[in-house]
């Protein structure tokens, strides 16, 4: 059981007198876009061969032969850039500290159910969304297959295709029985393409009545939430994107930057008006609070900020200590960018609300290392009166610790969690999405996991060690 792991490996401390010119230049030129990044957060090779060559053009430095530099137009001088490179070269570690906690594998709480595979023509599982209708308990998923995509319903042991999609669905928010708001990303690849769509779907209606368009032409949207008579939409985008307030006729930009990946809504200042909180996972990573100004706009405040190498993936609001204030449970673990190495600071974090959404970002109240952590869900899975956690990790240590792809954290005492890995689950898939709900209507919380088995292997020489054809699994909660 772990409460907090010290972060001594995350920070290198220098006295004011020993600050090198390279450090000063890095802080000056890089922190204007994002939180300054310590050399200790990545290994030397990743800095020199991948990250710094990718960052150089942003400062007006040209790159040739992968990691050779020359003066560009505008930006800093080549002399200044070489000082920055020297700073990271001298202080970056040769390798990052490996963190591989031992997981207890059992099946005491969850029973694994698998559907019949969709069909033999799908070579690899490509599930991008799973959902449980909270009104009916029905299980839905979405997947891509080449140039086609679809929405599926799990019926018995079969996955039945119910709606053809222009692009794969990545989020489904239910607003009534068998009625939801479906977000289709447009293009999974990191491109600037305005092809995302938001649909109101009723999968059990007659075929011609199942889809109603709410918005089109969006920059890779990943989530849509009802917000009064309107909707909050998160356009993750690529180099452009944003957070939007929209309806069928209008669209208003709330924050005009890419990387919006997850949002929560609520009346956070108790003034009777709806507010929102959103996680941005690109460049200046962090969580922003948007308070309704009662005039059709929002005031904004960044409540948590993270280095851009963290790879923010999700967060959830929950009152863990039952003090009436919403705490933040956050995950870091995206590993598909320039620094594709296992990172000891990837995992699940808890930040307790000190009041008015003030948090101590330098010392989280709980941290558990999970390589490539993708999502967290907090719920009282074992029905003992406190909140437990469930995490998935798409970029897990597939070679050495594949069980960390799904972890159930049983809370034994306040912020003392016992991690469990469900026996034999790691062999079934590679989990990219997860949803919770009471599918069998027996009063406890079940889980459904979606598997994506096409590409994104960052560990050299590794071949998939799971069933690449299995699209999803249902974890039935057997707590009595």
């Amino acid at each position: 059981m772990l409460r907090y792991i010290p972060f001594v490996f995350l920070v290198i401390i220098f006295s004011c007198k020993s600050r090198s010119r390279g450090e000063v230049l890095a802080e000056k030129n890089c922190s204007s876009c994002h939180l300054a990044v310590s050399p200790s957060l990545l290994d030397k090779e990743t800095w020199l061969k991948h990250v710094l060559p990718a960052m150089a053009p942003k400062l007006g430095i040209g790159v040739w032969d992968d990691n050779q530099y020359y003066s560009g137009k505008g930006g800093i001088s080549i002399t200044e850039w070489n000082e920055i490179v020297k700073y990271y070269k001298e202080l970056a570690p040769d390798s990052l500290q490996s963190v591989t906690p031992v997981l207890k594998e059992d099946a005491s709480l969850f029973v694994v159910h698998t559907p019949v595979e969709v069909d033999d023509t799908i070579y690899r599982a490509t599930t991008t969304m799973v959902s449980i209708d909270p009104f009916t308990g029905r299980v839905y998923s979405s997947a891509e297959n080449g140039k086609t995509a679809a929405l599926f319903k799990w019926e018995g042991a079969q996955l039945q295709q119910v709606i053809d999609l222009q692009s794969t669905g990545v989020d489904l928010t239910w607003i009534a029985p068998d009625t939801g708001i479906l977000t289709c990303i447009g293009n999974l690849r990191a491109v600037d393409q305005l092809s995302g769509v938001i649909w109101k779907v009723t999968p059990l209606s007659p075929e011609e009545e199942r889809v109603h368009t709410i918005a089109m032409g969006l920059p890779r949207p990943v989530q849509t939430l009802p917000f009064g008579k309107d909707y909050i939409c998160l356009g993750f985008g690529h180099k452009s994107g944003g957070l939007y307030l929209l309806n069928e006729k209008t669209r208003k930009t709330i924050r005009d930057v890419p990387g919006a990946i997850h949002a929560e809504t609520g009346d956070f200042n108790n003034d009777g008006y709806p507010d929102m909180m959103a996680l941005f996972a690109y460049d200046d990573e962090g969580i922003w609070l948007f308070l309704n100004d009662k005039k059709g706009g929002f005031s904004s405040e960044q409540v948590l900020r993270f280095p851009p190498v963290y790879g923010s993936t999700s967060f959830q609001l929950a009152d863990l200590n039952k003090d009436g204030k919403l705490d933040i449970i956050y995950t870091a673990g995206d590993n598909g960018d320039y620094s594709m190495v296992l990172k000891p600071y990837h995992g699940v974090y808890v930040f307790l609300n000190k009041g008015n959404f003030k948090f101590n970002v330098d010392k989280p109240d709980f941290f558990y290392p999970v390589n490539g952590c993708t999502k967290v869900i907090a719920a009282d899975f074992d029905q003992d009166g406190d909140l437990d956690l469930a995490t998935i990790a798409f970029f897990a240590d597939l070679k050495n610790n594949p069980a960390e792809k799904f972890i159930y954290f049983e809370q034994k005492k306040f912020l003392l969690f016992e991690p469990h890995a469900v026996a034999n689950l790691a062999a079934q898939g590679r989990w990219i999405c997860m949803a919770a709900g009471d599918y069998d209507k027996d009063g406890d919380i079940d889980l459904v996991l979606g598997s994506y088995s096409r590409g994104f292997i960052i560990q050299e020489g590794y071949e998939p060690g799971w069933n690449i054809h299995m699209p999803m699994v249902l974890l039935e909660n057997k707590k009595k």
Side-chain angles (χ1 to χ4, degrees):
M1 292 186 288
L2 297 177
R3 178 187 175 97
Y4 171 70
I5 293 180
F7 282 75
V8 292
F9 57 85
L10 295 185
V11 181
I12 295 179
I13 301 175
F14 304 96
S15 68
C16 293
K17 293 182 180 180
S18 65
R19 280 166 59 89
S20 69
R21 185 162 183 255
E23 180 187 2
V24 173
L25 287 168
E27 184 174 316
K28 173 185 175 182
N29 291 283
C30 301
S31 61
S32 62
C33 295
H34 54 71
L35 197 63
V37 183
S38 166
S40 65
L41 293 184
L42 293 173
D43 64 274
K44 197 182 305 292
E45 181 178 1
T46 299
W47 276 121
L48 298 179
K49 292 186 177 181
H50 302 287
V51 175
L52 290 174
M55 296 301 105
K58 298 179 183 293
L59 297 178
I61 299 297
V63 183
W64 63 278
D65 195 24
D66 292 335
N67 61 351
Q68 302 297 311
Y69 304 105
Y70 60 90
S71 295
K73 294 183 179 180
I76 66 175
S77 70
I78 190 66
T79 300
E80 290 176 316
W81 175 253
N82 286 335
E83 287 290 337
I84 293 175
V85 173
K86 179 183 177 182
Y87 164 61
Y88 284 97
K89 182 177 181 179
E90 290 181 348
L91 295 178
D94 292 331
S95 62
L96 295 181
Q97 177 182 340
S98 176
V99 179
T100 309
V102 176
L103 294 171
K104 179 182 179 181
E105 291 199 31
D106 59 60
S108 59
L109 187 64
F110 295 104
V111 174
V112 180
H113 298 283
T114 59
V116 175
E117 294 163 23
V118 179
D119 61 51
D120 294 333
T121 65
I122 295 181
Y123 174 58
R124 290 178 183 265
T126 55
T127 304
T128 54
M129 183 276 296
V130 289
S131 182
I132 300 176
D133 184 339
F135 302 98
T136 67
R138 294 189 180 93
V139 177
Y140 290 85
S141 66
S142 186
E144 62 168 2
N145 182 25
K147 295 183 179 181
T148 64
L151 182 70
F152 298 92
K153 176 169 66 77
W154 185 331
E155 191 70 37
Q158 300 285 337
L159 285 176
Q160 300 176 357
Q161 184 169 326
V162 291
I163 300 177
D164 292 325
L165 302 175
Q166 295 172 345
S167 66
T168 189
V170 291
D171 180 66
L172 183 53
T173 300
W174 298 97
I175 58 176
D178 300 310
T179 303
I181 306 300
L182 178 66
T183 305
C184 297
I185 195 170
N187 199 322
L188 285 173
R189 294 183 298 113
V191 296
D192 284 310
Q193 191 175 82
L194 300 177
S195 56
V197 179
I198 300 172
W199 282 344
K200 181 179 179 180
V201 294
T202 52
L204 302 187
S205 297
E207 187 171 352
E208 65 277 7
E209 300 175 5
R210 293 178 184 175
V211 173
H212 176 79
T213 301
I214 294 174
M216 302 176 65
L218 294 161
R220 301 178 70 223
V222 294
Q223 186 186 17
T224 306
L225 294 172
F227 195 81
K229 296 180 179 180
D230 300 313
Y231 300 94
I232 293 296
C233 174
L234 283 69
F236 188 87
H238 176 46
K239 294 182 179 179
S240 61
L243 178 65
Y244 309 104
L245 180 68
L246 55 78
N247 54 43
E248 294 181 24
K249 296 181 180 180
T250 65
R251 185 184 309 174
K252 179 178 181 179
T253 301
I254 300 171
R255 188 164 190 257
D256 188 22
V257 298
I261 194 170
H262 184 79
E264 300 280 346
T265 60
D267 183 5
F268 297 134
N269 57 357
N270 300 309
D271 65 353
Y273 286 78
D275 310 304
M276 76 186 83
M277 194 175 288
L279 171 64
F280 287 79
Y282 187 79
D283 280 347
D284 192 9
E285 296 190 17
I287 297 175
W288 272 257
L289 174 63
F290 297 89
L291 295 178
N292 198 320
D293 66 6
K294 309 175 189 177
K295 300 176 183 178
F298 299 86
S299 63
S300 64
E301 176 189 358
Q302 190 174 26
V303 297
L304 286 174
R305 196 180 189 198
F306 308 104
V309 295
Y310 266 41
S312 300
T313 47
S314 79
F315 81 100
Q316 185 174 344
L317 296 173
D319 185 3
L320 283 164
N321 55 2
K322 302 179 182 179
D323 65 352
K325 299 188 289 286
L326 291 173
D327 308 306
I328 289 179
I329 310 165
Y330 159 84
T331 59
D334 184 13
N335 228 345
D337 213 328
Y338 303 117
S339 57
M340 294 186 288
V341 294
L342 298 179
K343 302 176 174 76
Y345 42 87
H346 275 178
V348 57
Y349 296 73
V350 170
F351 298 95
L352 295 179
N353 189 342
K354 311 304 181 186
N356 296 319
F357 289 100
K358 303 299 180 185
F359 305 91
N360 187 353
V361 67
D362 297 322
K363 187 178 180 181
D365 298 277
F366 170 82
F367 169 74
Y368 187 91
V370 182
N371 290 296
C373 197
T374 304
K375 185 173 182 177
V376 61
I377 292 178
D380 187 5
F381 292 106
D382 59 4
Q383 299 181 313
D384 66 351
D386 56 24
L387 292 177
D388 310 299
L389 307 177
T391 63
I392 55 171
F394 186 67
F395 288 104
D397 184 352
L398 301 174
K399 277 186 177 181
N400 306 304
N401 197 20
E404 71 178 350
K405 288 185 289 185
F406 171 84
I407 304 176
Y408 161 60
F409 293 88
E410 179 186 3
Q411 187 167 197
K412 309 295 275 188
K413 295 181 180 179
F414 178 59
L415 293 188
L416 290 175
F417 293 92
E418 183 176 282
H420 301 264
V422 176
N424 303 316
L425 180 61
Q428 296 297 334
R430 185 185 183 190
W431 318 120
I432 197 171
C433 49
M434 171 174 61
D438 187 3
Y439 99 97
D440 51 7
K441 296 299 178 182
D442 65 351
D444 54 29
I445 303 298
D446 310 298
L447 290 164
V448 58
L449 313 180
S451 178
Y452 194 95
S453 296
R454 185 178 292 167
F456 300 104
I457 300 291
I458 68 170
Q459 292 175 286
E460 187 176 352
Y462 179 80
E463 294 294 331
W466 64 88
N467 183 350
I468 63 173
H469 305 291
M470 185 61 64
M472 57 193 292
V473 299
L474 178 65
L475 302 184
E476 181 186 359
N477 191 331
K478 299 298 290 185
K479 183 66 179 180
K480 299 298 184 182

